Amino acid sequence: MKVRGTVERVTYANQDSGFAILKIKPKRGAMFTVKGHVAELANNASVVGAEFEFFGSWQMSRYGRQFDFDSYRLLGSELLFFLSKVVKGLGQKLAQQLIDEYGEEALIDILDNRPEELLQVKGIKEKRLALIKKSWQKHRSLRALATYLGGRAKITPNLLVRIYNYFGDDSLEIIKENPYRLTEIRGIGFKTADKIALGLGIMFDSPWRVKAAVNHLLVEAAEQDGHCYLLKDDLVARLKELLSTDEHEIDQGRIEGVLKKMILSEELTLWQGERIGLSSYRYMEEWIKAFFEERSRNERRKTLSEKETKDFIKRYEEKKGVEFSKEQKDIIRKIATEKGLVFGLAGYAGTGKTTVCKAILDLVGKYYAARDEMVCCAFTGMASARVRKATGYEALTIHSLLKYKGDNSFEYGPDNPLPYKVVLLDEASMVNLSLFYRLARALKPSTLFILVGDPAQLPPIGAGNVFSDLLETGLLPCVHLKKIFRQRQDSRLALFANEIREGKVPDGVDRPDWHDFSFERVEKHNIFALKRQQKSETELKRFREENNEAIKKRILTLAKEYSSRLSHPAWEFQVLTPMRIGQLGTEVLNSKLQTILNKTKGESVSRAGLVFRDGDKVVHLQNRDMEVMSWEDFVTQGKRFESQETRRIFNGNVGLVTKIDKEMEQFYVVYPERIVVAYDFDHIGDIVELAYALTVHKAQGSQYRIVAIPLSNSHYIMLNNKWFYTAITRAEERVHIVGQGFALSRACKNIQGVQRLTWLRALVAQ
């Protein structure tokens, strides 16, 4: 059946799903209700006043008779609707004026190809034109996507926006060429992409489909678990599970045939008949192996004598009022007297890495290189800022150092090496394979390369585990700092962190009088005792939820207490939790913490169920090129954004919302590197979200004055000592752990982590 009429009122609308309940006024008769999905909601269109024809059937609900539609079409001028309801910056009157003046066909051509001509129209200035161009292009791309994908899979308006956010104006062409690229988007799995591909006519056992699955599984293993290869039997089993359906089972011979062709074409590499992976990963790790073998035995570097080195250490200790440990003296002596060009410094929490780094830089600055020939770098802006502050030497993010140009390319590389004689890489354990390879390839043959890191922390996000592999294989001449320097009598943070690193529950962990460490046992119900009482699963679930609710309540109370004591509570107080979802996940905690920690008065915007306000702490969720400008210029221009360059912003970067511009439908975030990034409102929840509570992986490389960690038995599968050690060492002054005793024990004692499969380890072990 079909009905038609004008939208009188939107009773309910969900922008994420596109689901809407509308009140419709027909040309004759009484108003009625329609219910279904409206794609235009993806563009925040106002459908009130527009006339539609709906196709579906009448149903009786508890609210009365209503029309459930599964498709619809716009009546009247589609161009007028989109110009007045969707495209920002025009409005009904001006939109109609443009159509009357140019005609629909000519106006579409102008909007597509010569939008600057609209500056001749009274009422359209540069700023409004920029908004019209951006909005029109987005509308055209979303409309094309919706038309192309609509009949092949259930695509919600929110999903359309996420596809557009990721691929931009090239979305349709990219998906037409390879629909499996949809798996690159966070939250879109192979099954969704596969359904679209099959809808396009790809055969069930097509080699192209099998090849797409192979690439997907190997990239997923790299990005999620850090593996540079998989065992062949494991990969084949995963492929059979992924590609088989209820109607068809994929033939193993077909899989083997595709793998063989990919190996022959050198897309994949197979080693000893059992290890199989993307060839690019093996190439990078083989190159890194050769790099460290050659540079560790370099014989050309200028060195000092043992006596000169001892004299330097003695004078330095006297001047700075410090007393180095044996291991700290060893690394200074090693770099001063040995001929190699690569050295490693591994140190756990509280062992004085920063102190000795300053001494090393002063040493090489005195005897080996001028100050402007030396540079420090780190993966995150926070880490590089910390190195700069602690040592006094120039420090940049790796991407800034290599001068990232966008599209995964850099100004500095093997054909244009960095102009430095000394490069110190801090937080080396955070750097994944591809970025480490890029940095090493950009060093001159004579550059002294010093790697500093904590091997007890979580491995990097992405493929590889280069720093830990270099240490364990002996490829990197290294000194391990183990002595924990004396702290205040009532301080335990570093001591407890190192006991947890060893898989122990620290003695005195629940004492209430430590200066920098606190464990509060919050456990309303003893679940183990209740299980022995044979309580039902429904009852046990309720008791677990009450335990988690009590933990959450205490975390929020701590936030309130610190909000009045800290100068910048939103920035200085951080909650770290194992999971995104659940009562103690980042999603729930962020919405609660926002109202406590951000008291800023100002603009706000709501999208995707989230509210962003001026002053909010937010985290970037994708490795993505963004338009940026310097903070200084942004402030000088009265917080008016003008793009100066494109820069890669990384998954986990945390910043503060510094302005919300409702007219341009943009908000601006300032990051520690003193850059401002422009985001569209549609990026909320997809590319950026609140960051008052973070997972520990997102917080790597950062430190906060106060850290609060909820520990629940519900997190059982996530809890291990590497995760816990990384979490508590994010605190500079004090860590508050709130939760259950068993969860604490599990987090301390569980030393089993996933061993990353890397070529570096495999090649050295052969």
Side-chain angles (χ1 to χ4, degrees):
M1 294 184 66
K2 62 182 178 182
V3 297
R4 64 169 58 189
T6 302
V7 179
E8 185 77 11
R9 184 172 74 248
V10 177
T11 304
Y12 173 81
N14 184 314
Q15 186 197 342
D16 293 354
S17 66
F19 178 76
I21 300 173
L22 310 172
K23 279 289 187 184
I24 304 298
K25 183 175 178 56
K27 286 187 176 178
R28 289 188 298 272
M31 278 201 302
F32 58 89
T33 299
V34 299
K35 182 179 71 171
H37 288 81
V38 182
E40 280 71 27
L41 290 174
N43 249 335
N44 300 308
S46 170
V47 294
V48 173
E51 187 179 9
F52 289 92
E53 189 169 58
F54 301 94
F55 302 88
S57 59
W58 288 101
Q59 304 291 335
M60 185 61 70
S61 74
R62 58 177 175 162
Y63 301 107
R65 190 164 169 263
Q66 61 187 26
F67 191 82
D68 288 4
F69 66 90
D70 47 34
S71 63
Y72 64 94
R73 69 184 182 93
L74 178 70
L75 301 176
S77 169
E78 186 173 343
L79 180 61
L80 178 61
F81 172 82
F82 285 112
L83 289 178
S84 60
K85 303 290 187 181
V86 178
V87 176
K88 310 300 178 188
L90 286 175
Q92 182 82 21
K93 185 177 178 181
L94 187 52
Q96 187 64 62
Q97 178 187 327
L98 289 173
I99 291 174
D100 293 343
E101 183 172 338
Y102 293 101
E104 292 199 5
E105 190 174 330
L107 183 55
I108 289 172
D109 182 57
I110 289 170
L111 286 166
D112 282 343
N113 303 305
R114 306 180 308 280
E116 286 73 19
E117 287 187 20
L118 295 180
L119 288 172
Q120 300 168 17
V121 177
K122 185 179 179 180
I124 298 181
K125 303 295 184 186
E126 289 284 356
K127 188 172 182 180
R128 177 176 274 193
L129 179 64
L131 198 54
I132 292 170
K133 286 164 60 177
K134 179 180 175 182
S135 183
W136 173 255
Q137 186 58 51
K138 179 180 174 183
H139 148 63
R140 297 283 273 178
S141 297
L142 285 172
R143 191 71 174 166
L145 273 175
T147 302
Y148 182 71
L149 296 175
R152 297 172 173 87
K154 187 177 180 182
I155 304 291
T156 66
N158 178 254
L159 188 53
L160 284 174
V161 170
R162 292 178 61 203
I163 293 170
Y164 178 80
N165 282 345
Y166 192 85
F167 293 119
D169 294 333
D170 298 326
S171 297
L172 183 58
E173 287 69 28
I174 287 169
I175 292 167
K176 277 183 176 180
E177 182 181 344
N178 182 3
Y180 291 102
R181 286 198 62 188
L182 286 169
T183 59
E184 297 174 23
I185 303 171
R186 189 172 65 101
I188 297 182
F190 183 86
K191 294 292 185 184
T192 300
D194 195 39
K195 186 175 181 180
I196 293 169
L198 292 171
L200 290 169
I202 301 297
M203 297 299 292
F204 167 78
D205 60 351
S206 160
W208 199 72
R209 179 172 182 255
V210 177
K211 181 178 177 180
V214 171
N215 283 316
H216 166 69
L217 286 175
L218 290 174
V219 170
E220 183 181 59
E223 295 303 315
Q224 293 186 6
D225 301 317
H227 299 316
C228 295
Y229 66 83
L230 292 174
L231 298 179
K232 186 183 175 187
D233 289 346
D234 180 27
L235 176 60
V236 170
R238 294 189 193 195
L239 286 166
K240 289 179 73 174
E241 181 181 356
L242 185 63
L243 293 169
S244 296
T245 67
D246 294 338
E247 296 81 29
H248 304 282
E249 183 173 342
I250 195 77
D251 179 63
Q252 183 162 332
R254 175 68 66 166
I255 292 174
E256 296 279 2
V258 171
L259 291 176
K260 186 175 181 180
K261 286 184 178 179
M262 293 179 75
I263 292 166
L264 289 172
S265 66
E266 298 185 346
E267 294 171 82
L268 300 182
T269 182
L270 179 68
W271 193 49
Q272 296 180 341
E274 60 174 2
R275 294 178 173 93
I276 189 166
L278 296 170
S279 296
S280 57
Y281 291 141
R282 178 165 177 179
Y283 173 82
M284 286 188 283
E285 296 210 85
E286 283 184 328
W287 187 92
I288 287 171
K289 176 176 178 287
F291 172 88
F292 280 93
E293 286 174 337
E294 191 277 326
R295 298 222 175 185
S296 62
R297 59 173 180 261
N298 181 282
E299 296 295 330
R300 300 187 299 274
R301 188 169 72 87
K302 176 186 175 183
T303 57
L304 301 181
S305 68
E306 289 283 350
K307 182 179 184 308
E308 287 175 311
T309 306
K310 283 182 180 179
D311 289 344
F312 171 83
I313 293 172
K314 183 179 179 182
R315 289 195 304 271
Y316 192 92
E317 287 180 319
E318 290 172 352
K319 182 179 178 181
K320 301 293 184 181
V322 298
E323 184 178 344
F324 290 126
S325 67
K326 177 184 179 301
E327 291 86 2
Q328 286 177 314
K329 291 178 181 178
D330 285 345
I331 187 61
I332 296 172
R333 188 180 300 112
K334 201 173 188 68
I335 291 173
T337 63
E338 294 184 10
K339 293 281 188 181
L341 285 169
V342 287
F343 295 94
L345 175 63
Y348 306 124
T351 55
K353 290 193 300 295
T354 303
T355 301
V356 76
C357 278
K358 175 74 166 70
I360 290 167
L361 291 168
D362 287 349
L363 171 79
V364 295
K366 181 178 177 65
Y367 294 105
Y368 187 69
R371 195 178 184 93
D372 62 0
E373 296 176 310
M374 302 164 57
V375 70
C376 303
C377 61
F379 179 63
T380 67
M382 276 192 179
S384 62
R386 197 165 60 246
V387 176
R388 187 185 312 112
K389 182 178 178 182
T391 66
Y393 286 83
E394 182 183 12
L396 305 165
T397 64
I398 298 171
H399 277 74
S400 295
L401 175 65
L402 298 179
K403 293 197 175 177
Y404 184 72
K405 298 191 296 184
D407 196 28
N408 206 29
S409 63
F410 298 84
E411 183 173 321
Y412 290 108
D415 298 326
N416 181 31
L418 289 164
Y420 297 102
K421 290 186 69 175
V422 178
V423 173
L424 184 145
L425 171 62
D426 195 33
E427 298 280 7
S429 61
M430 286 187 63
V431 184
N432 64 27
L433 171 60
S434 59
L435 188 56
F436 195 101
Y437 170 79
R438 292 277 194 174
L439 176 60
R441 290 269 288 174
L443 301 179
K444 292 189 295 186
S446 59
T447 297
L448 176 62
F449 190 28
I450 303 167
L451 286 72
V452 182
D454 185 343
Q457 289 188 20
L458 285 169
I461 297 172
N465 199 9
V466 180
F467 184 62
S468 288
D469 285 350
L470 291 172
L471 298 181
E472 292 183 27
T473 58
L475 284 169
L476 178 65
C478 184
V479 171
H480 287 255
L481 303 181
K482 295 177 181 176
K483 178 185 174 183
I484 300 171
F485 282 85
R486 189 172 60 186
Q487 302 171 292
R488 286 175 40 165
Q489 191 65 33
D490 59 349
S491 293
R492 283 296 181 276
L493 181 53
L495 291 169
F496 283 177
N498 281 282
E499 289 184 38
I500 290 165
R501 174 181 58 79
E502 295 171 354
K504 303 173 184 175
V505 178
D507 186 33
V509 70
D510 53 358
R511 272 181 51 180
D513 54 348
W514 300 127
H515 166 70
D516 55 2
F517 191 99
S518 168
F519 170 58
E520 291 183 65
R521 195 181 299 269
V522 175
E523 194 164 15
K524 290 183 68 176
H525 306 288
N526 186 324
I527 302 298
F528 299 107
L530 292 168
K531 279 185 176 179
R532 289 194 293 271
Q533 296 173 25
Q534 298 185 328
K535 297 289 185 182
S536 70
E537 193 54 44
T538 301
E539 289 177 298
L540 291 174
K541 181 182 178 183
R542 177 168 59 83
F543 293 139
R544 290 188 188 100
E545 288 174 351
E546 289 179 3
N547 278 343
N548 289 339
E549 192 62 31
I551 295 169
K552 181 176 76 176
K553 186 177 180 181
R554 179 57 186 148
I555 291 285
L556 297 178
T557 299
L558 283 169
K560 289 174 185 173
E561 292 172 358
Y562 277 106
S563 68
S564 60
R565 290 158 51 185
L566 297 172
S567 302
H568 305 285
W571 193 251
E572 296 172 325
F573 181 88
Q574 184 64 54
V575 176
L576 299 178
T577 184
M579 304 181 79
R580 283 178 49 83
I581 59 174
Q583 289 168 281
L584 297 171
T586 56
E587 292 181 0
V588 171
L589 288 170
N590 270 318
S591 65
K592 302 290 184 183
L593 291 164
Q594 180 187 38
T595 59
I596 297 170
L597 296 173
N598 183 9
K599 303 297 186 184
T600 306
K601 304 294 183 184
E603 292 284 2
S604 65
V605 56
S606 178
R607 285 289 190 281
L610 297 173
V611 177
F612 275 23
R613 302 201 302 255
D614 278 335
D616 270 334
K617 181 163 63 175
V618 296
V619 59
H620 188 85
L621 300 174
Q622 302 175 6
N623 296 335
R624 180 184 172 97
D625 293 348
M626 303 293 293
E627 298 293 322
V628 306
M629 72 180 295
S630 74
W631 168 250
E632 288 77 12
D633 290 344
F634 183 70
V635 172
T636 301
Q637 296 178 19
K639 291 194 171 182
R640 183 168 54 85
F641 186 87
E642 290 181 1
S643 176
Q644 294 175 331
E645 62 175 310
T646 297
R647 190 177 295 194
R648 176 60 59 98
I649 308 298
F650 283 93
N651 183 358
N653 274 26
V654 175
L656 295 174
V657 175
T658 184
K659 182 184 177 183
I660 295 172
D661 187 334
K662 289 194 170 181
E663 183 184 356
M664 293 297 292
E665 294 206 344
Q666 285 189 324
F667 62 99
Y668 309 102
V669 176
V670 57
Y671 286 102
E673 302 96 310
R674 300 184 70 79
I675 59 169
V676 177
V677 178
Y679 294 92
D680 295 337
F681 285 177
D682 284 341
H683 291 162
I684 294 173
D686 181 23
I687 295 174
V688 66
E689 67 183 10
L690 295 174
Y692 300 101
L694 293 170
T695 59
V696 176
H697 256 121
K698 288 279 193 293
Q700 276 186 277
S702 301
Q703 284 197 295
Y704 310 90
R705 283 186 65 186
I706 310 297
V707 168
I709 304 169
L711 281 185
S712 165
N713 295 351
S714 301
H715 299 149
Y716 180 86
I717 196 169
M718 301 292 295
L719 300 178
N720 61 66
N721 69 328
K722 206 175 228 350
W723 173 87
F724 198 28
Y725 173 89
T726 306
I728 64 177
T729 54
R730 299 310 89 208
E732 292 178 334
E733 293 184 11
R734 185 176 177 86
V735 62
H736 289 270
I737 300 155
V738 180
Q740 297 172 268
F742 176 79
L744 175 76
S745 177
R746 165 82 176 175
C748 294
K749 292 181 177 180
N750 180 24
I751 59 174
Q752 295 181 353
V754 176
Q755 179 68 59
R756 294 194 170 192
L757 304 175
T758 64
W759 294 110
L760 203 52
R761 292 170 63 90
L763 291 166
V764 174
Q766 70 174 321

